[in-house]
Amino acid sequence: MEIDIKVIGMGPGNKRYLTLEAIETMSKCDILIGPKRLIEETSGFRNPEALIYCCTLSQMRQTLEEMIQDLSSKKYVEIMENEKDPYENKKSIGILASGDTGFFSIANWIQQTYKETIEVEWISGLSSLQYFCNRIQKPYGGIHTISVHGRENSVLGEVLTHEAVFVLTGGKYRVQNICQALSEQGLGQVKVYIGEDLSYETERIVEGRAQEFVQTCFRDLAVMLIERTHSRYYPCVTAGLPDEAFYRGQVPMTKEEVRAVCLGKLQLLETDCIYDIGAGTGSVSIEMARVAKKGFVYALEKKEEAIELCIQNQQRFELPNMKVIRAKCPEGLEHLPTPQKAFIGGSGGALQAILEVLLGKNPSIHIVVTAISLETLEEVISCVKQFELEISCTQVSVANSNKIGNYHMMMGQNPIFILTLKGKQIDE
């Protein structure tokens, strides 16, 4: 039996926002499947002889699959051949989807599942993003959109990466949970707009700071718009921030030119978990955290003065995706999550033990080590042979201009070795 599926975008919910195309399509469907609240909005529009199936979103896939199996079954075909079909002409299945079919909708799953065997058509609707942004009078062209309803998604990472983020909440990621997570990570001051029961008489839209709504209960399937301006310090994320951008004290710091090369050698991804071992002032940690906004940086340092400076620099750059840990390595690494990258600016003579722990956590880890002395260079090469690592070495010599009287003279820094180590690649 021939079957086609119409996925109908129902807008925010209230029938006032149905499109004429959606109304016309519903009037021709032989079967309608959808949540109860959407089914109720079809009264007066749907085919009076249509079969109606109310189900939750989580039940919809199973309901649809059972319906298609029933209509396609051998028993059903025999009924059609031998007697009048009790479901005659009931071939067109209408799936009621909230919002728009192209915006975090079940329509995509239906298309991917049935496109080879059944004709699937999408009927557009008004999305919650469009409706909500018009209600709060915000243009939505540049807004980044995510859904955490039934999906794993790092809201924190998205907020750090984009100035404005629209969130479809739901399940265990309700509005109050997201506001609490933002507040715990030092982002309680971000501006949020929250909407629930959109388009209905009970609609509620509020605005304020995230920390104000930690104890407020919102319905499942509410929406949020989170607005955050860039950090007030150096909004660009080009590698090699000026040395004067950091609190330094008397603690040695990886200079900006060397830092830029090291970051390039690390080949960071947005989602990387990274260790900075011997973090010092935290200058490298800061730069790594600014790149890996959907990942996390663990800055490990044992000296008290350096730890204080590292924390001050983290606060200055407003980076919640970074944690400063007072620890001697390798002991401080034991309970941390698996890293994809590691930077070793100081090993305290324990390089071999540190590498052993890193490779135990991730045999294919990507590591960058800096060395000023020939003894440290020799130690690295010895470890490379022991652990059978890939290695590439770059020597950097930097000279900066310094004004002396009426002239600018070039003053050289100590040359430094930058060693890139790679563990064994594991075939997936």
Side-chain angles (χ1 to χ4, degrees):
M1 179 177 185
E2 293 184 8
I3 302 170
D4 65 11
I5 298 175
K6 311 287 188 184
V7 188
I8 305 168
M10 297 289 288
N14 192 309
K15 65 178 67 177
R16 293 175 56 199
Y17 298 96
L18 286 171
T19 65
L20 291 176
E21 185 182 18
I23 293 172
E24 182 180 353
T25 302
M26 280 187 285
S27 70
K28 297 177 181 178
C29 285
D30 305 302
I31 300 167
L32 286 179
I33 303 174
K36 182 179 179 182
R37 71 178 183 90
L38 296 182
I39 291 288
E40 289 174 347
E41 297 300 326
T42 67
S43 177
F45 301 133
R46 63 179 181 250
N47 176 0
E49 297 182 0
L51 298 176
I52 307 299
Y53 292 85
C54 291
C55 62
T56 64
L57 184 62
S58 60
Q59 297 169 336
M60 191 176 292
R61 295 186 181 189
Q62 182 179 350
T63 302
L64 178 60
E65 289 174 358
E66 291 175 352
M67 175 62 63
I68 292 173
Q69 288 174 7
D70 182 48
L71 293 175
S72 305
S73 68
K74 181 178 179 181
K75 179 179 179 181
Y76 186 76
V77 172
E78 290 175 349
I79 290 175
M80 291 176 61
E81 293 176 346
N82 298 319
E83 58 183 86
K84 182 175 174 62
D85 178 10
Y87 299 102
E88 186 175 7
N89 296 325
K90 291 185 171 53
K91 309 175 195 177
S92 187
I93 303 175
I95 303 296
L96 306 185
S98 61
D100 179 46
T101 49
F103 190 68
F104 298 106
S105 169
I106 196 173
N108 186 55
W109 174 83
I110 293 172
Q111 176 74 15
Q112 295 302 316
T113 303
Y114 298 106
K115 63 182 179 182
E116 301 297 332
T117 56
I118 298 176
E119 181 183 349
V120 177
E121 182 180 358
W122 293 7
I123 311 301
S124 295
L126 183 67
S127 72
S128 56
L129 171 67
Q130 294 170 297
Y131 178 88
F132 185 63
C133 287
N134 276 282
R135 290 286 284 113
I136 62 175
Q137 299 182 32
K138 292 276 185 181
Y140 50 86
I143 293 176
H144 182 67
T145 59
I146 62 172
S147 173
V148 293
H149 181 224
R151 300 172 175 87
E152 289 295 330
N153 200 313
S154 173
V155 176
L156 175 63
E158 303 293 354
V159 172
L160 291 175
T161 311
H162 303 89
E163 289 187 26
V165 179
F166 178 83
V167 187
L168 289 170
T169 72
K172 62 180 179 180
Y173 297 105
R174 297 197 175 195
V175 169
Q176 54 268 36
N177 305 124
I178 294 172
C179 288
Q180 181 175 355
L182 291 169
S183 299
E184 289 174 350
Q185 296 299 327
L187 295 173
Q189 287 294 321
V190 296
K191 183 71 174 291
V192 296
Y193 300 83
I194 302 165
E196 64 178 4
D197 290 347
L198 296 183
S199 79
Y200 293 101
E201 292 182 1
T202 54
E203 174 181 283
R204 176 170 65 141
I205 295 177
V206 296
E207 63 179 89
R209 303 296 174 183
Q211 61 193 19
E212 299 172 15
F213 301 109
V214 172
Q215 301 298 326
T216 306
C217 290
F218 292 91
R219 294 183 188 276
D220 200 19
L221 303 181
V223 301
M224 298 179 69
L225 176 63
I226 305 172
E227 292 184 333
R228 178 180 183 269
T229 58
H230 286 301
S231 168
R232 61 181 179 274
Y233 289 102
Y234 300 98
C236 70
V237 291
T238 304
L241 291 173
D243 290 343
E244 58 268 20
F246 302 95
Y247 297 118
R248 297 178 60 181
Q250 301 300 312
V251 176
M253 183 176 73
T254 304
K255 300 298 188 294
E256 61 188 84
E257 297 84 4
V258 175
R259 206 181 318 123
V261 176
C262 290
L263 289 164
K265 296 291 185 181
L266 278 165
Q267 299 178 11
L268 299 174
L269 300 178
E270 269 192 337
T271 55
D272 278 340
C273 174
I274 315 162
Y275 296 172
D276 183 2
I277 298 171
T281 62
S283 63
V284 177
S285 294
I286 297 296
E287 298 236 35
M288 293 192 297
R290 281 159 57 87
V291 175
K293 289 188 174 182
K294 298 180 185 179
F296 207 87
V297 175
Y298 294 90
L300 297 106
E301 177 57 55
K302 62 181 181 180
K303 296 179 181 178
E304 192 64 35
E305 182 184 0
I307 291 168
E308 293 177 2
L309 286 170
C310 197
I311 293 173
Q312 289 176 23
N313 282 319
Q314 178 189 8
Q315 293 172 343
R316 183 175 192 179
F317 283 89
E318 302 172 350
L319 293 168
N321 60 324
M322 169 182 162
K323 183 177 182 179
V324 181
I325 300 175
R326 180 184 287 103
K328 181 179 180 181
C329 293
E331 293 82 0
L333 307 174
E334 293 178 358
H335 302 294
L336 298 183
T338 302
Q340 284 75 52
K341 309 287 169 59
F343 175 75
I344 304 177
S347 62
L351 182 62
Q352 179 180 334
I354 290 171
L355 290 177
E356 187 172 356
V357 172
L358 293 178
L359 291 166
K361 285 176 171 285
N362 181 3
S364 59
I365 190 171
H366 187 116
I367 306 168
V368 169
V369 184
T370 56
I372 296 178
S373 69
L374 294 175
E375 287 76 14
T376 302
L377 178 62
E378 182 181 9
E379 185 182 10
V380 174
I381 293 173
S382 175
C383 289
V384 166
K385 293 178 180 178
Q386 177 183 345
F387 296 111
E388 299 180 349
L389 304 174
E390 293 183 23
I391 182 173
S392 63
C393 180
T394 302
Q395 185 190 58
V396 176
S397 298
V398 177
N400 298 111
S401 61
N402 188 23
K403 188 174 182 180
I404 301 177
N406 294 325
Y407 297 92
H408 288 80
M409 307 295 292
M410 299 304 292
M411 307 294 290
Q413 300 177 16
N414 288 329
I416 186 167
F417 298 98
I418 300 174
L419 302 110
T420 305
L421 314 180
K422 295 182 180 180
K424 297 178 181 179
Q425 299 302 308
I426 300 175
D427 295 331
E428 296 183 359

